[in-house]
Amino acid sequence: MPTVADAWALCGRGDFRGAADLSRQLLSLTPDDGSTLACFAVSRWQVGGDAKQAIKELRRAVELAPEDASIRHNLAMLLASVGQLEAARQSYAAAIALKPDDTQAFYGLTQSGKFVEETDLVRQMMALYAGGELNQR
C-alpha cells in the first residue's frame, strides 16, 4: 500500500503529477492527514494548479498537523510565490521554531527578506552552520 512518504518521494523527484495523483488517492482514505494534504497542495500547484487554493489547503494542513515544520515551510514558499512576503517570513520562522535545523526554511527566509542586523535567528543559523548541523540541501 503506498504511503504519503511515497507521494513526497515523487515530489522530490519532480514527478508532481504522480505525487498529486497519489496524494489525492491517499486523501480519499485519510482526509484529515496534514502531510498528505500538504503534498497534494504542493504537487498540484507545481503542475499549474491555483496558488490561492494551494495556500488554503496548506493552511488547513497546518491546522491538522501544527507541529510539522515542513508543512509550514511549504506554506511559506507558496505565500512568497504570490508576494505575501511578511506572511511567508512568519511561516518560515514558525517552521524554524519547530525544527531549528530546517535548512529549507532558513534559505526561504533569507530569500523573502533582508537582514540588516545580526538577530538571534541569524546567530542561531550561523551556529548551526558552523557546527555542521545544517543540511546542505
Side-chain angles (χ1 to χ4, degrees):
M1 176 77 168
T3 67
V4 68
D6 298 321
W8 279 115
L10 290 171
C11 245
R13 290 194 302 266
D15 181 1
F16 300 113
R17 189 159 312 282
D21 291 345
L22 178 53
S23 57
R24 180 183 298 113
Q25 291 171 17
L26 293 170
L27 279 173
S28 70
L29 301 172
T30 56
D32 291 330
D33 183 83
S35 184
T36 304
L37 182 57
C39 185
F40 177 69
V42 169
S43 57
R44 199 169 53 150
W45 171 72
Q46 287 284 359
V47 294
D50 180 44
K52 288 182 182 178
Q53 180 63 32
I55 289 169
K56 181 180 175 183
E57 291 164 346
L58 282 166
R59 289 184 193 276
R60 171 88 171 112
V62 166
E63 290 174 11
L64 293 169
E67 301 301 314
D68 190 328
S70 66
I71 294 172
R72 291 177 184 268
H73 80 233
N74 280 303
L75 172 60
M77 174 189 65
L78 262 78
L79 290 167
S81 79
V82 298
Q84 294 182 30
L85 297 181
E86 182 54 36
R89 285 190 289 272
Q90 290 173 7
S91 193
Y92 282 128
I96 293 166
L98 291 169
K99 187 175 185 292
D101 64 345
D102 189 333
T103 305
Q104 292 177 347
F106 273 122
Y107 178 76
L109 190 59
T110 65
Q111 299 304 299
S112 65
K114 186 176 186 177
F115 291 95
V116 294
E117 62 185 42
E118 188 174 311
T119 65
D120 287 341
L121 186 60
V122 170
R123 284 188 286 279
Q124 174 188 352
M125 182 174 45
M126 296 305 294
L128 288 167
Y129 181 76
E133 297 174 52
L134 283 181
N135 185 328
Q136 298 300 312
R137 298 187 289 129

